[in-house]
């Protein structure tokens, strides 16, 4: 485990190496941000978005929580979506789940009244809605499939939100995309979830 002193030393080294490679690096980085995507992902320490897709600093507006949820009653999620779309005008909103998600596993295995249990209730409801499909699978496959269904549900929550619907109505480019990350091979997989207009979304969910 690294001490705070070691972390600060590593930070100092990193900042110096950036300037050495490119003297303008922090001058550019300090200018107004103009990210190309909003990333809604899991708080899991293995799934940091800039590492996964190799974009430079300033490219991704990030929102992460346990289980990569977009909860429509969560002011934090709503504020992030509103700011990303209405102010930053990001053209892409990516919901990224991952296999081996501890949040999905916890929702599958038990329920309770602790904050994490309450937060994960939404995944329990998804499990309940798809019980017939999921109960036919073995334990590992069920865990993976529920992670995929969870991404689908979050994409749905975003597309039906007023912030996105209003943006589509006024002709603003907003692509809502669902992906899943495989922690075993480092690869992102598409889930057939890409919506760029109200009509596209309604054709699937309407
Ligand atoms: Zn996770």
């Amino acid at each position: 485990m690294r001490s705070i002193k070691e972390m600060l030393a590593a930070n100092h080294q990193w900042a110096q190496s950036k300037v050495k490679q490119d003297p303008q690096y922090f001058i550019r980085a300090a200018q107004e941000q103009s990210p190309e995507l909003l990333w809604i992902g899991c708080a899991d320490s293995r799934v940091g978005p800039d590492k996964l897709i190799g974009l430079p600093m300033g490219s991704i507006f990030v929102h992460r929580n346990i289980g990569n949820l977009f909860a429509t009653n969560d002011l934090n999620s709503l504020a992030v979506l509103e700011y990303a779309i209405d102010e930053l005008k990001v053209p892409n909103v990516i919901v990224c789940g991952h296999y081996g998600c501890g949040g999905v596993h916890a929702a599958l295995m038990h329920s309770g009244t602790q904050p994490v249990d309450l937060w994960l209730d939404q995944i329990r409801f998804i499990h309940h809605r798809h019980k017939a499909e999921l109960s036919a699978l073995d334990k590992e496959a069920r865990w993976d499939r529920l992670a995929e269904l969870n991404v689908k549900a979050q994409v749905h929550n975003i597309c039906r939100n007023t912030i996105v619907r209003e943006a589509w109505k006024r002709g603003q480019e907003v692509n809502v995309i669902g992906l899943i990350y495989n922690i075993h091979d480092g690869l992102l997989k598409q889930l057939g979830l890409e919506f760029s207009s109200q009509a596209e979304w309604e054709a699937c969910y309407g």
Side-chain angles (χ1 to χ4, degrees), residues 42 44 67 98 101-103:
C42 186
D44 190 304
H98 68 104
C101 181

Side-chain angles (χ1 to χ4, degrees), residues 67-206:
N68 45 268
L69 301 180
F70 180 85
T72 49
N73 59 354
D74 172 38
L75 201 53
N76 188 0
S77 300
L78 292 167
V80 165
L81 187 68
E82 182 189 7
Y83 190 74
I85 289 184
D86 292 351
E87 299 298 325
L88 298 172
K89 314 265 189 250
V90 297
N92 298 301
V93 177
I94 291 180
V95 177
C96 185
H98 68 104
Y99 296 131
C101 181
V104 173
H105 192 254
L108 259 178
M109 300 311 285
H110 61 86
S111 58
T113 54
Q114 293 300 309
V116 173
D117 297 315
L118 299 176
W119 176 249
L120 294 173
D121 265 349
Q122 196 194 147
I123 305 181
R124 267 183 217 100
F125 295 141
I126 298 164
H127 181 211
H128 189 70
R129 272 207 304 278
H130 297 273
K131 210 158 188 173
E133 178 193 346
L134 291 166
S135 55
L137 303 171
D138 68 29
K139 206 175 142 197
E140 286 293 315
R142 192 182 310 147
W143 185 9
D144 287 351
R145 182 63 183 142
L146 184 55
E148 293 177 354
L149 290 169
N150 180 39
V151 171
K152 190 176 178 183
Q154 306 318 315
V155 166
H156 174 62
N157 285 346
I158 290 166
C159 290
R160 73 193 173 103
N161 191 276
T162 316
I163 298 159
V164 170
R165 291 162 73 111
E166 286 297 317
W168 279 339
K169 207 152 80 175
R170 62 179 177 261
Q172 185 177 330
E173 184 187 4
V174 180
N175 309 303
V176 184
I177 300 155
L179 299 175
I180 195 139
Y181 174 70
N182 190 337
I183 52 169
H184 300 291
D185 61 16
L187 297 175
L188 289 164
K189 187 172 90 176
Q190 289 180 293
L191 292 169
L193 298 165
E194 285 195 37
F195 303 103
S196 303
S197 67
Q198 178 87 15
E200 276 184 22
W201 174 66
E202 278 179 0
C204 270
Y205 291 97

